[in-house]
Amino acid sequence: HLARATNKPILVLCYNKTLAARLNEMLRDKGADERIVVRNFHGWCSDQLRTYHVSRPQGAPSSAFYESMVQAVIRGVDRGQIPSGQYGAVLIDEGHDFQAHWLKLVTQMVSAETNSLLVLYDDAQDIYGGKGRGFSFKSVGIQAQGRTTILRLNYRNTAEVLRTAHRFAKDLFLGGERDDDGVQVLEPESANRHGPEPLLVRLPSLSQEAEYITQRLIDLNEEGTPFREMAVVYRAPFVGERIAEALARRGIPCHWLQKPAKASSPQGTEGVRFVTMHSSKGLEFPVVAIPSVGAISQDYNLENELRVTYVGMTRAMDRLLMTYNRTTPLTERLEAAVRPGASAA
């Protein structure tokens, strides 16, 4: 609609490369106007430097390298080498992952003729900063007060999945006072779509987790769910690979949504999707399996792991299966969420 309504291109930005790829795929399927540009933020910065012949930073990809690239774009805009107002509209998904100076840069890309900017965000899914948005929209040049809409109803998840995820990560929704933009942090509300209760199973080892998940996915496939509608959402790369190996032994292909360092299992576009918790943001699947919950180092940040695991859990549209092989503070909370009043023992 926006592409037809303006004579300038439309920019859609997000943080997650995997989500950007999925959004592009959806637009292609709908035959959308070619003037719609969908990029992850740092990919867009790279495009700007290349298009307007601005000197790029040198070095291997790292946090410092990407920040240098952002600063190069900002300087290019400030001196007029990179033009502002390039787009008839800018739409930002995953706004909770954008830093203040990123948003300040992007708002300059909106045409003054349209002043059309949409920012979507969910502070509960801030899995990089860990503390939610630490600045007001007003401070970056966005007039949000009086122009916000709170999307209260959750249509993605069944009431059972959403209820369990909320019990698990309820601390993320505490202290819902209004911020400087007049926006309040609210608990999600279910649209009352129902399905099976999430499953949480403790098994003696990762190998047994892999065999259990494989058999459950095969059972669901035999009941009519295509493998392409299933996803394994994993926290650690070695965990994802072990599950993929178990699937491969049963002849089930895997489709990695981002390239892992090691992927010896067979690939197939019709296979079970594999994606990290971080890269799963914005995606959704009818069936989600999360293996080895809490299988990370002992010195992890509990609040951050709550956010990351909450994101993984809420990718499940209909069915959620979780397994683990050792008790951690995270799995204790998950046990209490799945079976209120029960202990991890």
Side-chain angles (χ1 to χ4, degrees), residues 309-322:
T309 307
Y310 173 80
V311 167
M313 294 170 69
T314 53
R315 300 311 93 197
M317 299 167 66
D318 303 309
R319 291 179 179 269
L320 175 61
L321 166 65
M322 300 169 286

Side-chain angles (χ1 to χ4, degrees), residues 9-13 37-39 44 87 89-92 106 109:
I10 308 302
L11 176 64
V12 180
L13 287 177
V37 179
V38 182
R39 292 291 275 154
W44 173 78
Y87 303 98
V90 174
L91 298 85
I92 300 173
V106 173
M109 295 296 122

Side-chain angles (χ1 to χ4, degrees), residues 40-107:
N40 72 298
F41 175 70
H42 290 105
W44 173 78
C45 287
S46 179
D47 293 344
Q48 292 291 302
L49 296 177
R50 182 176 58 254
T51 300
Y52 296 103
H53 309 290
V54 177
S55 179
R56 298 170 57 87
Q58 301 299 313
S62 64
S63 296
F65 170 81
Y66 289 121
E67 180 56 26
S68 295
M69 192 161 58
V70 175
Q71 293 300 326
V73 176
I74 291 173
R75 290 192 298 271
V77 174
D78 287 346
R79 61 176 175 256
Q81 189 174 357
I82 296 176
S84 58
Q86 296 180 34
Y87 303 98
V90 174
L91 298 85
I92 300 173
D93 199 3
E94 299 184 310
H96 44 268
D97 291 329
F98 278 58
Q99 297 181 31
H101 61 291
W102 300 3
L103 285 172
K104 190 173 182 179
L105 168 63
V106 173
T107 57

Side-chain angles (χ1 to χ4, degrees), residues 200-203 324 326-337 339 341-345:
L200 176 64
V201 180
R202 179 170 183 172
L203 293 158
Y324 70 103
R326 65 186 179 90
T327 299
T328 68
L330 203 70
T331 60
E332 289 177 340
R333 291 183 67 127
L334 197 52
E335 282 282 359
R339 291 179 277 274
S343 68

Side-chain angles (χ1 to χ4, degrees), residues 111-162:
S111 169
E113 297 175 1
T114 60
N115 196 30
S116 182
L117 173 69
L118 172 68
V119 181
L120 299 167
Y121 73 99
D122 177 359
D123 282 340
Q125 295 193 52
D126 175 13
I127 60 176
Y128 296 99
K131 295 294 183 183
R133 182 169 47 87
F135 57 90
S136 69
F137 287 120
K138 184 178 179 180
S139 69
V140 296
I142 300 174
Q143 181 53 51
Q145 195 161 14
R147 302 176 63 195
T148 60
T149 299
I150 298 176
L151 304 178
R152 299 172 182 271
L153 285 180
N154 176 309
Y155 293 95
R156 168 180 289 145
N157 313 118
T158 61
E160 291 75 13
V161 169
L162 185 62

